[in-house]
Amino acid sequence: MAPRIALIGCGSWGENLARNLHELGVLTIVCDPSEAARQTAKQKVPGVEISDSFARAMEDSNLDGVVIATPAETHYELARHALESGKDVFVEKPLALNVAEGHNLHRLAQERDRILMVGHLLEYHPAVDHLKGLIRKGELGDLRYIYSHRLNFGKIRTEENALWSFAPHDVAVILRLIGEMPQEVHCTGGSYLTPGLPDVTMSVLKFTSGVRAHIFVSWLNPYKEQKLVVTGSERMAVFNDLAQQKLVLHEQWVDFEDARPVLKNHGTNTVELPDSEPLRKECEHFVHCIEHRQKPLTDGESGVRVLEVLEACQKSMDLNGQGVVLDGD
């Protein structure tokens, strides 16, 4: 029997979750106090129960899981309540707004033997899957550096800054690709629309392996860009989520001839990827984990790691870009 799942929050992103969960045949109820959101849910998922109360989902002992797609500042309390109610939980990024709360949720899920999954969507993207394989096989050579741009004009938040709104995706992917925590981070930002709430941030992550990563996020940019570049000693890879060809390998490297660096460029290769929706794969993974009691790819532990990096970046930004050291575990 398919698990019975409640969706809490049916806003602009929640309606995409509603569609996928409904098509998978597991969506039992949608809860949202907003009349507009409930009307959207009625249109998107006809025949599914709609409620204006989050408590309705928490108190239903027949539900197996809860998916939380509400503003970030509500994630901790809703996820805690759901876990304490005996539900498996999939909570959109970020897991919480500080490391202590993230640790509490991870510990609670372990104590209650419940699944806790975090919505780090890009980790379910076929391009990221392929990139992980290339790095694991050494096909890019030694990793040198990674940079990501997540830019847009709009989607302005007043509850969380651009770092916490946009960067979790890129932090999660970079940690997965490099396979270690950064040793030190530096972050700077600027608040141009709302005082004290940076719209633009630049983060630099330094790893003990020598790899560096740069994350540039902004919702005050003239165009939309979602790009991740991975530079290795033998090849470079570009993941452009807005392009038709999403993953391109550049056969470019540097040789030394008579102790002088010589650029080598043998063109590009486009990687053919499965035509699959990352969100559908993510929802399928949550259902699979519920059915088979399996630890998710993006479990509570990985969610805490991302929070540790974000919190360190925030501390650095508060210190005007001063470096903040992590333990590197």
Side-chain angles (χ1 to χ4, degrees):
M1 181 177 174
R4 294 161 52 87
I5 294 175
L7 173 64
I8 296 182
C10 195
S12 59
W13 187 247
E15 64 181 76
N16 295 319
L17 284 160
R19 169 177 55 83
N20 277 281
L21 294 168
H22 186 51
E23 290 172 356
L24 291 172
V26 296
L27 185 61
T28 301
I29 182 171
V30 176
C31 304
D32 199 304
S34 163
E35 174 64 27
R38 294 198 301 276
Q39 289 301 320
T40 296
K42 289 177 182 177
Q43 295 171 4
K44 296 285 183 181
V45 290
V48 173
E49 181 185 345
I50 310 296
S51 173
D52 63 357
S53 171
F54 294 155
R56 168 69 184 83
M58 304 298 184
E59 295 166 359
D60 190 338
S61 60
N62 293 316
L63 288 174
D64 302 293
V66 169
V67 175
I68 298 170
T70 55
E73 68 269 21
T74 67
H75 287 181
Y76 174 70
E77 286 299 333
L78 288 172
R80 182 184 60 80
H81 194 177
L83 290 168
E84 289 175 345
S85 300
K87 312 290 192 296
D88 294 321
V89 175
F90 167 16
V91 57
E92 274 300 337
K93 61 79 186 170
L95 172 60
L97 288 182
N98 61 66
V99 172
E101 290 180 346
H103 275 301
N104 286 342
L105 292 177
H106 179 47
R107 175 186 50 77
L108 183 59
Q110 290 182 312
E111 290 174 353
R112 301 297 176 97
D113 195 24
R114 293 294 91 194
I115 287 162
L116 176 60
M117 176 171 156
V118 188
H120 295 153
L121 180 66
L122 285 185
E123 295 206 51
Y124 298 90
H125 198 294
V128 172
D129 243 4
H130 195 87
L131 265 175
K132 286 190 294 187
L134 290 174
I135 293 171
R136 186 173 62 250
K137 296 172 187 174
E139 295 195 20
L140 300 184
D142 296 329
L143 285 185
R144 302 302 196 203
Y145 73 91
I146 298 176
Y147 79 77
S148 67
H149 288 176
R150 188 164 300 274
L151 316 171
N152 203 356
F153 181 66
K155 291 193 175 180
I156 298 167
R157 310 291 175 87
T158 56
E159 307 87 6
E160 56 184 349
N161 62 36
L163 173 73
W164 286 85
S165 181
F166 282 6
H169 289 303
D170 303 289
V171 171
V173 169
I174 287 169
L175 295 185
R176 189 73 65 180
L177 294 180
I178 297 177
E180 60 178 297
M181 286 288 284
Q183 181 184 41
E184 184 179 352
V185 305
H186 295 253
C187 183
T188 58
S191 306
Y192 305 104
L193 301 177
T194 304
L197 197 74
D199 320 288
V200 180
T201 71
M202 169 63 81
S203 304
V204 178
L205 282 56
K206 301 178 181 180
F207 296 84
T208 54
S209 59
V211 180
R212 290 202 181 197
H214 305 80
I215 302 171
F216 177 36
V217 298
S218 171
W219 55 49
L220 195 58
N221 200 68
Y223 55 85
K224 187 173 183 179
E225 183 176 353
Q226 296 175 359
K227 185 182 292 184
L228 181 84
V229 177
V230 182
T231 298
S233 59
E234 298 179 17
R235 290 182 182 84
M236 304 178 187
V238 178
F239 166 33
N240 186 347
D241 203 16
L242 300 181
Q244 186 173 1
Q245 304 296 338
K246 296 190 180 299
L247 184 59
V248 177
L249 299 182
H250 294 256
E251 303 291 334
Q252 294 172 295
W253 67 95
V254 177
D255 273 346
F256 284 84
E257 298 176 4
D258 297 324
R260 297 180 62 183
V262 178
L263 299 177
K264 302 290 184 177
N265 189 342
H266 289 188
T268 62
N269 292 308
T270 300
V271 177
E272 295 299 323
L273 299 170
D275 185 19
S276 58
E277 182 186 7
L279 184 59
R280 172 58 65 88
K281 186 177 177 183
E282 187 176 43
C283 290
E284 289 173 341
H285 185 62
F286 182 52
V287 172
H288 178 84
C289 289
I290 292 176
E291 292 176 330
H292 298 276
R293 309 316 299 166
Q294 176 181 315
K295 184 174 79 169
L297 171 67
T298 53
D299 63 351
E301 187 176 358
S302 71
V304 170
R305 286 196 296 268
V306 170
L307 288 179
E308 288 174 341
V309 174
L310 291 172
E311 196 169 274
C313 287
Q314 181 67 55
K315 183 177 180 180
S316 173
M317 187 160 49
D318 293 341
L319 295 171
N320 297 315
Q322 181 178 320
V324 173
V325 176
L326 291 86
D327 60 21
D329 290 340

